[in-house]
Structure formats: structure tokens, C-alpha cells
Amino acid sequence: MTRDIAIDLGTANTLVYQKGRGILFSEPTVLALNKENGSVLAMGDEAWRMIGRTPGYIVAVRPLRSGAISDFDVTQKLIRLILQRAGIGRMSKPRVLIVVPSALTEVERRAVEEAALSAGARSCHLIEEPMAAAIGAGLPIHEPMGNLVVDVGGGTSEVAVISLGGIVTNAAVRIGGFDLDGAIQSYVRREYTIAIGERTAEQIKFAIGSAFPLAREEKAEIRGRDLATGLPKNVLVTSEELREAMREHIASIVGSVLDCISASPPDLVQDVLTNGITLTGGGGMLRGLDQLLAQEAEVPVHITDQPLESVVLGAGQCLESWRDLRSVFAGA
Ligand SMILES: Nc1ncnc2c1ncn2[C@@H]1O[C@H](COP(=O)(O)OP(=O)(O)O)[C@@H](O)[C@H]1O
Ligand SMILES: [Mg+2]
């Protein structure tokens, strides 16, 4: 039996929802490519395990981060692997709904759509990430009322004011959790002359990272490679140092929220002031980001129950209530 599929093609994580079943899988949006012949060896967890541990000709790429999504062959292989994982073969041709970052160009969107069709989809529809996030968060998107959603992902942060089933104003920056990891890597390289990998940087961000002063500031030890000697070296960093390291990127994210609010019609802004901001996406879980946003925008901020899943759950709801919700698809 063919069941429709919704895919959240995030810059960091890909999640798949199957109609009537729920979330099928959640894996990092990473491909392992053989540089010599261009073949795709693996995606997701399997490819992720290869990063930094592979012979030189096998490279790991994050296709949505690096812009490789406009490379039709890579996109097609990615979508084919995702559909295979979801058990879609030659015999079953499901309807596919794909959530794309609104920063994706027209060319990239077409590559995604065509890739899904050539990988076995009966039809392919796209939905913008903030819209799916709002539906997943249970916001009353069809009401004549302003709903402000902020989705902080790995490579992008998206903000939208949604009312009457459409995006009224939006803002997006190509800055997200990956950039915070990168800022931590640069910081320890500059201050302590050690090199750390992106995964180590992410771990330290999870452990002691914050966007707002903590009631009790924290410390953690990082193990890196001394740039002078090439040998392992441990250094102790504090939560204040990391906050400083991430400050500019966080300010850009907050800035995009303020821009979106100031570009919105006054009546909708009034609704936002009353109802608050809905914060979602993995990056939305950075400690204190909610407090910082609330302080800067002077609006209450609510984090969704499942920040990593709300987008795919929103898209899944579109599959379950196709007729009621198809009007919110991109280009519908
Ligand atoms: N607890 C956390 N604190 C801070 N950042 C987090 C946390 N959990 C996940 N993240 C970050 O969230 C990002 C991934 O979020 P996600 O919503 O899956 O992104 P995307 O939609 O772009 O795929 C990563 O950069 C990750 O480091
Ligand atoms: Mg996302």
C-alpha cells in the first residue's frame, strides 16, 4: 500500500513522516561522496560516522549547507536514498511533500522537485519551513491573527509572521547552529591555539553554551590539538567565553526577528505582543536564547515541545488533512 511521505529536508537533519504512521526516521543531512567517481556512498548516520575518519577521496558533504543541492545529481541521490529508507520502491509511488528552507533558490527548489519525481514520487509539493513549523507547533494559522514563528536550524534561521493561512512577512539569515560551532572553533584557535573539530565544538555548545547570562556560570574542559606542537592539549573554557564567542551570530539571529516584527502590519504586531513568539528548531534549544529574544523583542517567548520534530510533524499534519491544508503549500 502506498502511503504519502513528508520530508523535512533541514540543513542539519532530515526527518521523514509517513501518513498514518508518524515519524519514520531522523538522520543528519550528510552524504558521503566518492570524489573520484562522484558516487554517493551513504547518507545520514552512516555518512556522519565517516567524517574525519575516511580516506582522502571519500568526502562528507552537507548538501543543503554547501549549496550542493543545486547539483542535480547529488540532490537526486539524496532524495532517492531518503525514499529508499522510507521503503519506497519501484512499485509504490507516494505523494511527497518536502519542507524546504525559504532561503532555497528557485533553481534549488526545482532540483528538489525533479529529484523527487525521478526518484519515484507520484507528485511532489513543497512547503516553506516556517509554515510547517507553525502548523507543527499547533498555532492557529488560519485565523486572522498574527503568529510569529522563529525556527533556528543548523545553517539557517527563519522568521515568519503567519496569518490567514499565509506568510505575511518573513526574514531569514543563513546563520544557525553550525555557525555557532564554527565561532567556538575559531575562538579556541585564537585564544588557546588549539584546533578542535566541529563535533567537539557542538558538544561543548550543548554542555555549557548559552545566549543569556546563567544564574551560575559554568566551565568545561576541551581537548584539542595544540597548533604549535601538534600534540593533544586540554584547556578549560567558561560559559561566558563561549557566549562572547557566539555573540555576533546570535545578534544576527535576534536582529532578523526584530526586522520581521518591524516589517509587519501593526495589527499583526499587536497580536504577537499579546500571544508571544514561538521558538523552534534545534538551535532554539540553545540555553537562554528564549530569554534573550524575550528581552530584545519585549515579547514573551515559548519554545515548542519538540523543537527538532515540529517541522516534520507540521508537514505530516498536512498529509493527514490534505484537503484542509494544501492551500498553504508553496506556490499553491
Ligand atoms: N540543546 C541544544 N542546544 C543548542 N543547540 C542545539 C541543541 N540541540 C540541537 N542544537 C543545534 O540545532 C541544530 C540543528 O537543528 P535542526 O532544527 O535539526 O536544523 P535544520 O532544520 O537546519 O536541519 C544544530 O546546529 C545543533 O547543534
Ligand atoms: Mg529545520
Side-chain angles (χ1 to χ4, degrees):
M1 184 188 158
T2 301
R3 291 170 182 268
D4 296 343
I5 296 273
I7 303 173
D8 169 11
L9 207 50
T11 57
N13 295 298
T14 294
L15 289 86
V16 174
Y17 181 106
Q18 191 163 38
K19 187 177 176 188
R21 290 225 174 112
I23 297 175
L24 287 186
F25 75 84
S26 161
E27 302 228 349
T29 313
V30 177
L31 285 173
L33 285 183
N34 181 330
K35 223 170 35 180
E36 283 174 359
N37 60 16
S39 65
V40 174
L41 304 171
M43 79 146 298
D45 287 329
E46 210 184 332
W48 184 232
R49 280 192 293 271
M50 291 181 171
I51 293 185
R53 299 197 182 95
T54 47
Y57 62 89
I58 297 174
V59 291
V61 295
R62 295 183 191 272
L64 273 119
R65 173 118 210 258
S66 58
I69 200 77
S70 53
D71 176 330
F72 184 71
D73 282 344
V74 171
T75 309
Q76 189 177 4
K77 281 167 191 152
L78 171 65
I79 295 196
R80 203 176 280 275
L81 283 172
I82 295 169
L83 292 179
Q84 266 169 16
R85 273 284 176 67
I88 306 308
R90 277 175 221 283
M91 305 312 283
S92 80
K93 287 186 162 285
R95 212 153 44 177
V96 176
L97 175 62
I98 303 183
V99 187
V100 292
S102 56
L104 230 58
T105 64
E106 213 32 63
V107 172
E108 291 170 327
R109 283 166 198 238
R110 265 204 303 280
V112 168
E113 268 172 326
E114 283 168 24
L117 294 173
S118 77
R122 181 168 85 238
S123 63
C124 177
H125 304 265
L126 303 183
I127 179 172
E128 311 254 3
E129 186 168 41
M131 180 60 85
I135 295 169
L139 297 179
I141 58 149
H142 289 298
E143 302 288 314
M145 179 190 288
N147 298 282
L148 179 66
V149 188
V150 179
D151 182 322
V152 181
T156 54
S157 297
E158 307 216 22
V159 190
V161 171
I162 294 170
S163 176
L164 284 171
I167 293 177
V168 180
T169 12
N170 70 317
V173 282
R174 287 212 175 206
I175 292 176
F178 292 146
D179 302 281
L180 302 183
D181 306 340
I184 293 173
Q185 284 179 294
S186 317
Y187 176 81
V188 298
R189 173 177 275 270
R190 202 171 55 237
E191 294 298 315
Y192 299 104
T193 60
I194 60 166
I196 60 171
E198 58 182 30
R199 301 182 69 184
T200 304
E202 186 182 50
Q203 291 303 326
I204 196 82
K205 174 183 75 176
F206 291 162
I208 64 165
S210 67
F212 201 77
L214 300 174
R216 184 180 295 156
E217 297 291 349
E218 297 171 12
K219 293 183 190 11
E221 200 165 51
I222 311 186
R223 189 176 181 76
R225 187 169 46 79
D226 191 316
L227 289 169
T229 65
L231 297 174
K233 180 174 154 189
N234 289 357
V235 298
L236 201 61
V237 295
T238 66
S239 48
E240 286 112 316
E241 287 178 273
L242 294 193
R243 197 156 56 241
E244 184 53 30
M246 301 187 294
R247 194 170 51 86
E248 269 183 43
H249 287 318
I250 292 174
S252 306
I253 296 171
V254 172
S256 68
V257 178
L258 301 181
D259 287 348
C260 190
I261 294 176
S262 56
S264 298
D267 287 350
L268 299 185
V269 173
Q270 270 311 317
D271 299 333
V272 172
L273 295 179
T274 318
N275 300 333
I277 293 175
T278 302
L279 177 60
T280 191
M285 290 193 279
L286 177 69
R287 263 193 296 176
L289 184 58
D290 53 341
Q291 284 167 281
L292 181 67
L293 263 179
Q295 176 186 287
E296 297 298 311
E298 298 178 47
V299 171
V301 176
H302 318 285
I303 303 179
T304 59
D305 287 342
Q306 293 164 280
L308 289 163
E309 287 94 20
S310 55
V311 164
V312 84
L313 290 174
Q317 228 171 294
C318 293
L319 298 182
E320 306 291 354
S321 314
W322 189 267
R323 257 188 272 157
D324 295 340
L325 288 169
R326 67 167 305 165
S327 61
V328 305
F329 298 166

